[in-house]
Structure formats: structure tokens, C-alpha cells
Amino acid sequence: MATETRETTGARTGEQFLAGLRGDERELWLEGEKVTDPAAHPKLEGAARSLARVFDLQHEEPDTFLMESPDTGQSVNVTHVLPKSREDLERRRAASKRIADETVGMMGRTPDYLNYTFANFAARADVWARYGNEDGARNVVEYQKHMRDNDLSLTHTLINPQVDRSVAEAEQAGGEVSLHKVEDTENGILVRGARMLATLAPFADELAVYPGSDLRLQDARYAICFAIPMSTPGLKFICRDSFSVQRDPWDHPLSSRFDEMDAVVIFDDVEVPRDRIFLDGDAKLHSEVITDTHWRAHIIHQAMTRAWAKLEFAFGIGHTIADLTGVNAFDHVQEKLGELWSMLELTRAGIVAAEAGSFQAEGSEDWVPDERSFVALRGLMPKWVPRSIELIQLIGGGGFMATPSKADWEGPLRADIEKYFQGRNAGAERKIRAFRLAWDFVGSSLGGRGELYERFYLSDSFRMTALAYLLADKDHPTELVERFLTD
Ligand SMILES: Cc1cc2nc3c(=O)[nH]c(=O)nc-3n(C[C@H](O)[C@H](O)[C@H](O)COP(=O)(O)OP(=O)(O)OC[C@H]3O[C@@H](n4cnc5c(N)ncnc54)[C@H](O)[C@@H]3O)c2cc1C
């Protein structure tokens, strides 16, 4: 397995990234068809190109994106940094913000997402090493170097399928559907079952499995963490319908570029080699590696940075269409635009607050964002992004439907379109394109998927807002109340 060979690429170009997807033996199914080259498939190539652009950016803007690998001396992406200061956090965030701006927050799982996760896991190898899991901890550290120094794109899959959420994994469908260990093999372990979703599956080099929910202590066979190449025998990916629309980007500016795709993962007796196993059978440690590594604070740093860019984009869309139709003259539309802006500004403030309050974790060099604003935002963002979509719909009215295609624009009715589709301060083409862009955000299949993603990708908002209450410091607030109860 490649972790042992220390021949490395360093930061890759877009072309190198695309070449890496070509011709491997991954079993990826899309609408009944086995896809052999995701980068060239008409329903996937738009997103592949956008991701390639993310790889190219690191060479075009090395000051933002590159750092020296502590092991190879090569240039590698800065989002792999094991942060040891507030400056490290800020630098990492600046790179993620640049990526999120480039993809206008529409691609939730650009590779930086998992770069943060594994950097955090490697920084907290001490937690992974608990209860005799030293080998697993060593594998995590080596794996993080491998993905950093080879600039890998990872997908991950944490949640078991929705068979019966009211009972534990072991009690659903005879315990056979959820991903579980079957047996030890000569070279590692054999795993079987399925996981519900892996976003980015067509565009990933490797698949990571790590804890996404708590397990009962007796359910040890479900407590497994590892990372393996997408082409590992027995791995099968079944994609949802493509929402990519490969007509002219004039018609579908977002759907032609940013469908990052989601796939169910089936593990049909997959052998995980020993050096890729991070945890094997310890349900207690399975819970602790998420809570005790400060993973939550690190991953929300990436997630809220992307959300900030997405809300900026939403505000930009709202303002643009309101200005084109002149409705921003009305105070209640201004109020809606003000609400949109407030969400993006509070997101920015939450990120800055988390960085300002960052600290060195006890017993470790890991530098951790202050998670309080992140815990709050994690519960609010699944409500805010759908609210931003609702606000844009209320600002745009029926304009989203008055949107002829590029073929119409270039056809015999051009003169009519120029006259009847013009805006307050711009010609018909600009107005039509703005409303088509807005619809791709609020109403197309990709727009709907984006809304669902924001509601659920970090677990559901209901549980996250409840978690905010559970984690909240209640001492000072109750002291304020206590004064009036005891005088
Ligand atoms: C577009 C998209 C992309 C995703 N990409 C990934 C990915 O790349 N990798 C990955 O690992 N996951 C991914 N996910 C999955 C995501 O992690 C889950 O959707 C999320 O954890 C919620 O779980 P669920 O979808 O199974 O919903 P469920 O947990 O089944 O929830 C459905 C409803 O039931 C309620 N409910 C369920 N259980 C309970 C309970 N115990 N108590 C109270 N209420 C409950 C919920 O509040 C919700 O209202 C993705 C999801 C989406 C929508």
C-alpha cells in the first residue's frame, strides 16, 4: 500500500488530479451505467473541471496555498497544517476561503474538508493511542502524511443506512446492513455492509471511514475506522441522479459546474490492509476520538468558512436581482437583504471570534479554535442557508420563470427578448442570466440538493441546536437569575 512508499508528488496540478481519476478500477455506478472515467463522463466532467481548478489554484497563488512538507520539503497544501498557533488557523482559513469563493460555497466537500480532519487526528495521535491502540494511532499519523504529501482527494462515509433509526445498528436488519467487521485476515480485516452517503465519490482518490455517531459498548464490530483507495476490490458506489446540466453554462451556471455528487457505499467483503486500520473494535475509543480530539472545532472552522462564502454569494444574488428589477427601493425588500447580509456577517464574526479565542489543547501542541461560536453556528446554519433561499425567492417573485434559454436569446425572437426582458438598469441578457443564476441557487435540482445538504451534512439542525444547549456554559447566566431568587 502506498503509505509505505515515500515517493510523493507534493501539491498536484488540476491535470495531475484528473489523471489520477482516470483508469483506476473503482466500481462507480451512475444511472445504471458503470463509469470508468469520471473526469470525462458528460454528467460528471463539469464538477471534475471545477475541482481541477481548485488544484490549479494552489500553483497560481502559492502564498495563499502552499507550505513546506515537514517530511519531504516539497510544497504541499496549507490546509494539511497541524496548527500550532492562531496564525496557522488564520492561514488555513484564508486558503479555504479562497477555495470556497472559487466554488461560491456550492461544493461542500472540496478536499480541504478532510485535510482538516486528518490533520486534527494526526495532531491528536495521543487520543487515538488510548487503550492499547498504538498501531492505529501510528497508522493515522502515517496516513495523514501520505495524503498530504501526495495531495489526495478524499471522500468519507460516516452514517449507516436508514433502515430503522429507532434501534441500534446491531438491531437493524439482523445487524447486517450497517458497516461492520466480519473477521481478521492474514493482512488486515474484512468488512461488510453499507454506508449511506459519500459526497465527492467520483472525484476522490480514497475513502475514509471514521466515527459519525455513538455506538453501544457491546457493538464493537461496528467500531471500525480506516481509509482505503476507491478502487479497493469489493467497494461499490451507487450515485444518485446527476444534477449536472451540461448545456451551456449561460443556461445553467451552477449545475454545469458544481455537482459534487453523492453516492451510497457498499462494502462487499472489503479487505482493509493492516496499515490502513485506525481503530478496530473499541466502541469506547470510537466515541472519544471525536469528542476528545477537538475535531468538532476544527471541522466547523472549515465548514463555516465555506458557509460564509455561500452566504456572501446568496447576498450577492439577492442584491443583484433586486437592483435589476428596482425592488430594492422598497423598505421590506431592504429588510430582507439586510437579513441576508446579517447572516453572512455573523458567520464571519463567529469565525474571527473562534480564532481570537483559540488556545493550545492541554497535553498537546494542537492549536484549537474556541468552539463556542461554532457550536452556535452549527445549529443555526442549517436554518440560515434555507432562509437565504427563501429570501431570494421572495425578492425575485416570478422573475425566475421569465428566463428564456441561450438558444432563445440567439434565436429569431431576440428583438422581442431585448425589449420585454430588460431590467431597470441593464439589458435583457444580463437580467436573464442573473435570474437563471439565482434559480440555479434556489430552485434547480442542484439548488434543492444544496439546501438539503446544508440541513443535514453535519447531522441535523435539531440535534445540533440541542447540543448547543447541552454544551452551553450555564454558570454566569444562572448567576444573573439567582440574584432575584435568593434575595
Ligand atoms: C447532500 C448530502 C450529502 C451528504 N454527504 C455525506 C458524506 O459525504 N459523508 C457522510 O458521512 N455523510 C453525508 N451525509 C449524511 C449526513 O451525515 C446525514 O444526512 C446526517 O447525519 C443526518 O442523518 P440522516 O440523513 O440519516 O437522517 P436521520 O438521522 O435519519 O434523520 C431524519 C429525521 O429523523 C430525526 N431523527 C433521526 N434520529 C433521531 C434521534 N435519534 N432522535 C431524534 N430525532 C431523530 C432527525 O432529526 C430528522 O428529522 C450527507 C447528507 C446529505 C443530505
Side-chain angles (χ1 to χ4, degrees):
M1 189 104 347
T3 31
E4 286 157 13
T5 62
R6 295 299 287 149
E7 212 169 285
T8 53
T9 61
R12 291 190 292 172
T13 61
E15 190 40 53
Q16 285 173 311
F17 158 69
L18 294 174
L21 300 177
R22 265 175 223 131
D24 75 15
E25 295 298 316
R26 83 185 58 196
E27 188 167 344
L28 182 88
W29 292 86
L30 172 62
E31 298 169 25
E33 181 191 348
K34 190 171 172 198
V35 176
T36 50
D37 182 358
H41 192 284
K43 291 179 175 169
L44 298 169
E45 66 177 348
R49 271 198 308 274
S50 296
L51 286 162
R53 172 91 196 107
V54 167
F55 279 83
D56 278 337
L57 271 183
Q58 44 188 359
H59 298 281
E60 291 169 21
E61 300 170 26
D63 290 348
T64 302
F65 282 104
L66 296 182
M67 66 173 190
E68 190 176 298
S69 164
D71 292 315
T72 68
Q74 287 171 308
S75 293
V76 295
N77 195 288
V78 74
T79 60
H80 289 289
V81 70
L82 274 51
K84 294 187 175 61
S85 65
R86 177 174 172 180
E87 290 67 37
D88 283 346
L89 293 179
E90 289 171 344
R91 186 149 186 242
R92 177 175 79 167
R93 182 255 295 164
S96 284
K97 182 62 167 50
R98 182 68 187 88
I99 293 169
D101 282 349
E102 188 68 24
T103 52
V104 288
M106 293 293 288
M107 298 185 108
R109 296 284 160 77
T110 46
D112 52 319
Y113 184 87
L114 280 151
N115 296 350
Y116 281 50
T117 291
F118 275 89
N120 167 244
F121 289 166
R124 295 312 308 266
D126 58 314
V127 177
W128 284 88
R130 287 179 188 170
Y131 317 124
N133 190 40
E134 287 82 5
D135 287 351
R138 203 165 26 251
N139 290 344
V140 169
V141 170
E142 285 307 309
Y143 186 72
Q144 194 269 339
K145 293 178 181 177
H146 172 63
M147 66 185 276
R148 177 196 67 201
D149 293 337
N150 292 290
D151 203 11
L152 297 183
S153 163
L154 258 64
T155 179
H156 70 301
T157 194
L158 311 184
I159 307 296
N160 288 307
Q162 288 170 314
V163 176
D164 181 354
R165 286 280 186 261
S166 68
V167 295
E169 274 83 357
E171 290 166 17
Q172 300 178 29
E176 288 302 309
V177 170
S178 298
L179 177 65
H180 58 279
K181 175 178 166 181
V182 179
E183 61 186 20
D184 291 302
T185 63
E186 196 186 330
N187 300 314
I189 59 172
L190 198 71
V191 301
R192 186 184 295 159
R195 283 278 164 103
M196 196 166 89
L197 281 179
T199 298
L200 214 75
F203 313 111
D205 303 298
E206 304 221 346
L207 168 73
V209 170
Y210 55 89
S213 54
D214 286 342
L215 291 171
R216 300 180 309 184
L217 288 183
Q218 68 265 36
D219 290 339
R221 72 176 188 146
Y222 301 93
I224 41 181
C225 301
F226 55 85
I228 47 178
M230 295 293 286
S231 55
T232 304
L235 264 187
K236 299 171 190 170
F237 298 88
I238 305 178
C239 299
R240 60 158 163 78
D241 283 7
S242 168
F243 302 146
S244 170
V245 185
Q246 289 309 308
R247 273 177 28 201
D248 197 299
W250 196 102
D251 286 322
H252 301 282
L254 304 178
S255 302
S256 59
R257 292 178 169 98
F258 299 130
D259 183 5
E260 61 187 343
M261 187 48 78
D262 313 288
V264 171
V265 192
I266 296 171
F267 299 77
D268 188 0
D269 286 358
V270 172
E271 185 175 40
V272 181
R274 191 153 292 119
D275 65 344
R276 292 303 191 88
I277 300 169
F278 310 142
L279 190 152
D280 175 12
D282 189 331
K284 183 167 157 59
L285 182 56
H286 190 264
S287 302
E288 291 179 7
V289 289
I290 289 305
T291 52
D292 295 2
T293 52
H294 291 292
W295 171 78
R296 184 170 54 219
H298 283 291
I299 201 58
I300 305 180
H301 195 211
Q302 192 277 352
M304 290 310 134
T305 300
R306 182 194 57 83
W308 172 23
K310 190 165 186 171
L311 288 171
E312 285 184 311
F313 185 54
F315 176 64
I317 289 175
H319 166 67
T320 301
I321 62 173
D323 204 37
L324 279 163
T325 58
V327 296
N328 54 355
F330 305 124
D331 55 5
H332 82 90
V333 174
Q334 292 166 7
E335 186 247 7
K336 290 177 173 55
L337 288 164
E339 186 180 341
L340 260 172
W341 176 82
S342 302
M343 292 188 288
L344 82 87
E345 194 49 36
L346 286 173
T347 306
R348 185 189 67 78
I351 293 166
V352 173
E355 290 166 357
S358 58
F359 59 95
Q360 187 173 355
E362 209 181 315
S364 149
E365 288 190 300
D366 186 33
W367 199 268
V368 186
D370 174 354
E371 73 166 4
R372 287 173 296 178
S373 54
F374 284 170
V375 171
L377 285 169
R378 185 178 176 183
L380 287 170
M381 199 56 69
K383 302 179 177 93
W384 281 2
V385 178
R387 175 71 179 148
S388 77
I389 288 171
E390 182 184 19
L391 289 168
I392 292 170
Q393 286 182 356
L394 294 173
I395 291 166
F400 303 108
M401 302 296 106
T403 46
S405 65
K406 187 177 188 194
D408 292 314
W409 172 246
E410 291 175 345
L413 298 183
R414 170 85 166 242
D416 286 332
I417 293 173
E418 277 178 357
K419 179 173 176 187
Y420 295 116
F421 289 78
Q422 64 182 293
R424 179 184 71 83
N425 55 3
E429 183 179 15
R430 183 173 162 78
K431 184 174 164 216
I432 294 166
R433 291 186 69 166
F435 271 89
R436 292 192 74 99
L437 175 69
W439 183 246
D440 226 356
F441 191 73
V442 303
S444 68
S445 296
L446 189 78
R449 182 267 176 197
E451 183 177 349
L452 189 75
Y453 180 85
E454 303 298 346
R455 287 188 196 276
F456 282 107
Y457 80 101
L458 278 177
S459 182
D460 66 87
S461 168
F462 152 70
R463 274 177 277 182
M464 289 309 102
T465 310
L467 181 70
Y469 166 66
L470 295 176
L471 293 175
D473 174 15
K474 297 161 194 92
D475 289 348
H476 184 61
T478 46
E479 262 169 42
L480 295 176
V481 172
E482 208 56 38
R483 201 180 112 208
F484 297 97
L485 305 183
T486 50
D487 277 356

